[in-house]
Amino acid sequence: MTTTVSQKQILDALSKVNDPELHRSLTDLKMVRDVVIHAGKVEVTIALTVSNCPLKSQIEEDVRAAITALPEVKQVSVKLISMTDQERAALFGEPKEGAAAPYNHIQNVVAVMSGKGGVGKSLVTGLLAAALSKKGYRVGILDADITGPSIPMLLGLHGPVEPGPVGLRPLQSRGGLKVMSMNFLLTNEDQPVIWRGPLIGKAITQLWGDVMWGDLDYLLVDLPPGTSDAALSTMQSLPVKGVVMVTTPQGLSAMIVRKAVHMTQAVGVPILGVVENMAYFICPDTGKQHFIFGPSHATEITLAASAPLMAQLPIDPNVAALCDAGHVEDVKLTEIEGLIEAFVKAAPVQAERQHG
């Protein structure tokens, strides 16, 4: 007597296949639409939540593998279609603010802050993110500098972004960083964002809750200068684990950064460490160090913050050239290794990194 695989066996197998973005089974998401079985050949139709799903190849591969593993299956054909707007609304509800947040799993949200403009917060954010990614961590950058975003240029990224089933999909850098910035949402990158404080704060919370960040070990939040709306919204609305404070050697910078230190302490967010940027310049001809902006004031900041000095980064024309070209991920500085070691020690990742 010839036996054949049953539709129930196939549906049971597909109930163990998860959508890689939403972490729910294909059957739970009503993505399995049609199953045809004939003489050991199985044809299955899968309805993607959105037509532009970037992980459709992975879904197809997982479906094929799950069915092929069943006994008596000789051949598998997978047809991909897309849900209609009505089907998607019935499954997820109408689009609403913060809809993506339940599907995101982010271990550490860390803000990069200064209080002072022009000290290199975005550079430090980019260097940290790139180096963490190279170490195997899953990293994203939320560009909270709504009116003066630098992150897109540092990474060579341009909008627009595409919608996913429950929110916007972040862009991905060459090195695999997930990135979201207000600049990606503008029709023209040179268009100014002329908003008052409350709107800026709301935009930051939306970049957090309306973006499909997925599974991340670290989400770095690049804050704008100052200690008002943007910084407050980030620290009070997002689950910020800690802050990396960025400064430069000048006394003026140290004074303003101390204000940011005291503001961070006032809202109860730990300061993980201090990074002094533009600390010195090494003459390529002589190898001698020159302190272009005067002696370091980093010790004053670390004492006020009760936090370690994570790194002192030099002035390097090659770094500036790479950043202008959108290649911050290619920057190589010997100081970065120590920076990453101190950072991971201050904000460790739990061993368990899988989500069912």
Side-chain angles (χ1 to χ4, degrees), residues 65 147 178 294:
T147 61
K178 293 182 178 180

Side-chain angles (χ1 to χ4, degrees), residues 15-334:
S15 72
K16 298 177 177 64
V17 177
N18 280 356
D19 181 293
E21 280 189 305
L22 301 175
H23 305 292
R24 289 169 60 184
S25 76
L26 303 189
T27 52
D28 183 35
L29 290 169
K30 299 180 173 56
M31 294 172 67
V32 183
R33 294 303 172 83
D34 193 24
V35 177
V36 177
I37 307 166
H38 179 70
K41 296 180 181 180
V42 178
E43 297 178 8
V44 60
T45 301
I46 302 294
L48 301 172
T49 53
V50 287
S51 59
N52 60 350
C53 177
L55 298 173
K56 59 185 177 183
S57 295
Q58 182 180 336
I59 293 172
E60 181 178 351
E61 182 181 325
D62 291 346
V63 167
R64 194 183 303 278
I67 298 175
T68 301
L70 295 172
E72 311 301 331
V73 172
K74 300 175 182 176
Q75 184 178 332
V76 179
S77 174
V78 181
K79 180 183 178 182
L80 300 179
I81 62 173
S82 301
M83 290 184 183
T84 65
D85 292 341
Q86 292 78 11
E87 289 171 336
R88 197 160 42 248
L91 183 62
F92 299 110
E94 293 298 329
K96 60 182 179 180
E97 192 172 314
Y103 299 96
N104 295 331
H105 304 96
I106 301 171
Q107 281 209 32
N108 296 288
V109 179
V110 177
V112 181
M113 184 182 183
S114 174
K116 181 79 172 66
V119 298
K121 294 179 297 299
S122 298
L123 171 64
V124 171
T125 301
L127 293 178
L128 268 173
L132 286 167
S133 181
K134 289 172 185 174
K135 293 285 186 183
Y137 295 103
R138 302 164 297 183
V139 187
I141 299 178
L142 190 163
D143 187 356
D145 196 342
I146 302 299
T147 61
S150 300
I151 291 296
M153 183 173 181
L154 293 181
L155 290 164
L157 294 175
H158 307 276
V161 295
E162 294 184 340
V166 292
L168 296 175
R169 283 198 175 93
L171 296 187
Q172 194 155 313
S173 73
R174 286 180 291 269
L177 304 175
K178 293 182 178 180
V179 184
M180 181 56 73
S181 171
M182 178 59 70
N183 239 36
F184 301 152
L185 308 178
L186 302 177
T187 54
N188 184 336
E189 291 184 345
D190 295 333
Q191 178 183 341
V193 176
I194 309 172
W195 287 352
R196 294 186 184 276
L199 283 177
I200 290 175
K202 183 175 175 61
I204 292 171
T205 58
Q206 286 186 286
L207 291 180
W208 160 257
D210 294 349
V211 174
M212 297 180 65
W213 294 107
D215 294 344
L216 293 178
D217 297 312
Y218 294 102
L219 178 66
L220 304 183
V221 182
D222 185 31
L223 286 173
T227 57
S228 56
D229 296 281
L232 275 173
S233 294
T234 298
M235 294 185 194
Q236 294 179 342
S237 303
L238 275 60
V240 177
K241 175 168 280 189
V243 170
V244 172
M245 202 64 67
V246 182
T247 186
T248 54
Q250 303 100 311
L252 175 61
S253 175
M255 180 192 73
I256 302 299
V257 174
R258 285 198 300 272
K259 290 178 182 287
V261 166
H262 297 317
M263 176 265 188
T264 303
Q265 293 168 334
V267 297
V269 176
I271 298 173
L272 304 179
V274 177
V275 176
E276 186 177 59
N277 190 31
M278 298 182 269
Y280 56 88
F281 170 73
I282 298 178
C283 177
D285 297 326
T286 64
K288 183 179 178 182
Q289 275 191 356
H290 296 273
F291 299 95
I292 305 295
F293 295 115
S296 172
H297 287 79
T299 302
E300 299 171 21
I301 307 296
T302 58
L303 289 174
S306 299
L309 179 61
M310 288 181 162
Q312 290 177 294
L313 304 178
I315 300 170
D316 188 333
N318 293 325
V319 172
L322 285 168
C323 290
D324 284 347
H327 294 289
V328 71
E329 292 168 294
D330 296 333
V331 170
K332 291 180 174 62
L333 292 173
T334 56

